[in-house]
Amino acid sequence: MAKKCIGCGIELQGEDKNKRGYLPQSVLDGDSKELYCQRCFKIKNYGEYIPIEMTRDDYREEVKKALPEADVAIAVFDIIDFEGSFDDEILDILREMDSIVVINKIDLIPDEKHPSEVANWVKERLGEEGIAPLDVAIVSSKKGYGTSGIFKKINHFYPQGARAIVLGVTNVGKSSIINRLIGKNVATESKYPGTTLKSSKKSLTNANITLIDTPGLIPQGRFSDLVCEKCNLDIVPSGEISRKTYKEGKDRVIFIGGMVKMKIVNTGELKPIFSVYASKNVTYHDTNLEKANEMERDGRVDLFSPPCEKCAEEYKKEKIVTEKFTVESGEELVFKGLGWVSVKRGPLEIEITYPEKGEIIIRDAFIKPKR
């Protein structure tokens, strides 16, 4: 039987260092059962990113092949980019089989929210998608908070043991959760998307539970996937996200990085109050309409990030559209994979200019902004 990398699941080979799964033949012929391919070794030890040519369909095919073996799905979502964690493939699976939904990155929420509040909001949001999980676990894989609860929930619903397929899109922290459950760093963790390449099985000690690790799927509609790897990392927050609150009237313009332009079109005397949430590495710029037009005309890309200088030219090839939205009090307007706007006093009437491939939705507020 061919040996596989325990970090990403790829089949190992010692013949061509330029192909996937390379490991020196001398190491491959040894007795060790815990082998990492050269790519995973460099990611784990040096943080060096080596891109792999795999398409969205390649990742989906890997997940489909692993599904028949599973008794239950463990679906991992990022609470900071909840809608950006959605993928049609994952949602379809959750509608058809038993699942335990894991909500990661609870430590990054900028306002105190009790885990039960988060769980109730998640259940309602998933209910809108026709999904009713067995249970919801609220965790922080970074801090270790709540991960033991996943193990307890699996044991509760499957006391005789289970094979659990772990699902998630890229950047939700799936590999770090698996490592927390196993108790050691086996799955390759990386700040870069697309680290896991093939499905692989990992057993939990002292329990009849097998985790089937799968590649992170690439969802449609994320703004973060329209820029380079560095900008992608900047958009995906590693620390508590930033919040800026506005009370703006007609023809004020707010830029979120260089990806979103929001023009206020309210005509009433009562100005809307709203907060913008995004990674601290994403710039906000608030100005009037005349200056906004001037900055765009002069190409002042130095004021906006992302995109960076490296990917700005490629990003300019994206088709840009303009659309009007009305967001009521207690609602949020979400830019998948970038951030969201939460309205305290509405309605907020806005004209948004953004890349057509980015998806925007309106949802019930997760965080109520303060005045």
Side-chain angles (χ1 to χ4, degrees), residues 187-202:
T188 300
E189 295 180 35
S190 168
K191 55 189 178 180
Y192 297 101
T195 302
T196 304
L197 302 176
K198 297 284 184 179
S199 300
S200 60
K201 297 176 184 176
K202 298 170 174 64

Side-chain angles (χ1 to χ4, degrees), residues 76 102 104-105 107 139-152 154 166 173-189 202-205 211 213:
V76 183
V102 177
N104 194 21
K105 305 186 185 180
D107 54 302
V139 311
S140 165
S141 59
K142 184 178 180 180
K143 305 285 187 182
Y145 169 83
T147 48
S148 62
I150 304 171
F151 173 77
K152 292 174 183 176
I154 299 173
V166 186
K174 188 167 52 65
S175 293
S176 58
I177 285 173
I178 287 172
N179 286 337
R180 287 281 185 180
L181 288 171
I182 295 172
K184 57 181 179 178
N185 291 330
V186 175
T188 300
E189 295 180 35
K202 298 170 174 64
S203 298
L204 269 62
T205 55
L211 302 178
D213 187 13

Side-chain angles (χ1 to χ4, degrees), residues 59-67 93 165 167 214-215 217:
Y59 286 110
R60 290 178 188 276
E61 192 59 36
E62 280 302 314
V63 172
K64 282 182 180 178
K65 285 194 292 187
L67 269 175
I93 291 168
I165 186 168
L167 305 169
T214 61
L217 295 174

Side-chain angles (χ1 to χ4, degrees), residues 15-277:
E15 298 172 357
D16 190 340
K17 65 180 180 180
N18 295 316
K19 290 184 178 180
R20 289 182 291 182
Y22 176 73
L23 188 65
Q25 194 66 48
S26 58
V27 180
L28 194 55
D29 291 338
D31 296 328
S32 176
K33 294 181 179 180
E34 295 194 349
L35 296 173
Y36 289 96
C37 67
Q38 181 174 258
R39 174 175 176 267
C40 281
F41 181 83
K42 289 184 177 181
I43 290 173
K44 288 175 70 70
N45 293 281
Y46 305 110
E48 183 179 334
Y49 179 58
I50 303 173
I52 289 287
E53 290 297 324
M54 282 185 72
T55 67
R56 181 178 275 108
D57 289 338
D58 290 335
Y59 286 110
R60 290 178 188 276
E61 192 59 36
E62 280 302 314
V63 172
K64 282 182 180 178
K65 285 194 292 187
L67 269 175
E69 296 184 72
D71 303 307
V72 61
I74 307 296
V76 183
F77 293 89
D78 177 351
I79 192 59
I80 299 301
D81 187 22
F82 192 68
E83 278 71 24
S85 305
F86 281 13
D87 177 87
D88 288 342
E89 189 84 30
I90 293 174
L91 297 182
D92 285 344
I93 291 168
L94 298 186
R95 292 183 188 107
E96 295 174 5
M97 71 183 294
D98 287 342
S99 64
I100 295 170
V101 168
V102 177
I103 304 300
N104 194 21
K105 305 186 185 180
I106 190 71
D107 54 302
L108 303 188
I109 296 175
D111 294 306
E112 282 191 19
K113 281 184 85 72
H114 194 275
S116 62
E117 286 183 87
V118 178
N120 289 337
W121 183 86
V122 167
K123 287 175 184 176
E124 286 183 15
R125 186 69 188 85
L126 290 175
E128 295 171 9
E129 302 290 337
I131 296 166
L134 296 172
D135 209 342
V136 174
I138 309 298
V139 311
S140 165
S141 59
K142 184 178 180 180
K143 305 285 187 182
Y145 169 83
T147 48
S148 62
I150 304 171
F151 173 77
K152 292 174 183 176
K153 292 178 193 300
I154 299 173
N155 266 336
H156 172 75
F157 291 106
Y158 297 90
Q160 302 305 313
R163 290 162 298 182
I165 186 168
V166 186
L167 305 169
V169 302
T170 56
N171 286 334
V172 295
K174 188 167 52 65
S175 293
S176 58
I177 285 173
I178 287 172
N179 286 337
R180 287 281 185 180
L181 288 171
I182 295 172
K184 57 181 179 178
N185 291 330
V186 175
T188 300
E189 295 180 35
S190 168
K191 55 189 178 180
Y192 297 101
T195 302
T196 304
L197 302 176
K198 297 284 184 179
S199 300
S200 60
K201 297 176 184 176
K202 298 170 174 64
S203 298
L204 269 62
T205 55
N206 303 320
N208 187 25
I209 297 172
T210 299
L211 302 178
I212 305 170
D213 187 13
T214 61
L217 295 174
I218 304 170
Q220 301 279 1
R222 287 196 308 197
F223 285 74
S224 55
D225 293 327
L226 303 179
V227 290
C228 67
E229 288 86 2
K230 178 186 178 300
C231 287
N232 190 301
L233 294 182
D234 286 342
I235 292 173
V236 178
S238 56
E240 187 177 295
I241 60 173
S242 67
R243 174 188 63 205
K244 189 166 183 180
T245 300
Y246 297 91
K247 182 180 178 182
E248 301 284 22
K250 189 176 187 314
D251 287 342
R252 293 297 295 182
V253 175
I254 298 170
F255 291 94
I256 304 178
M259 306 186 81
V260 171
K261 174 188 175 184
M262 303 194 312
K263 184 175 80 171
I264 315 300
V265 295
N266 289 64
T267 55
E269 290 185 13
L270 198 63
K271 295 179 180 179
I273 300 173
F274 57 96
S275 293
V276 180
Y277 293 83

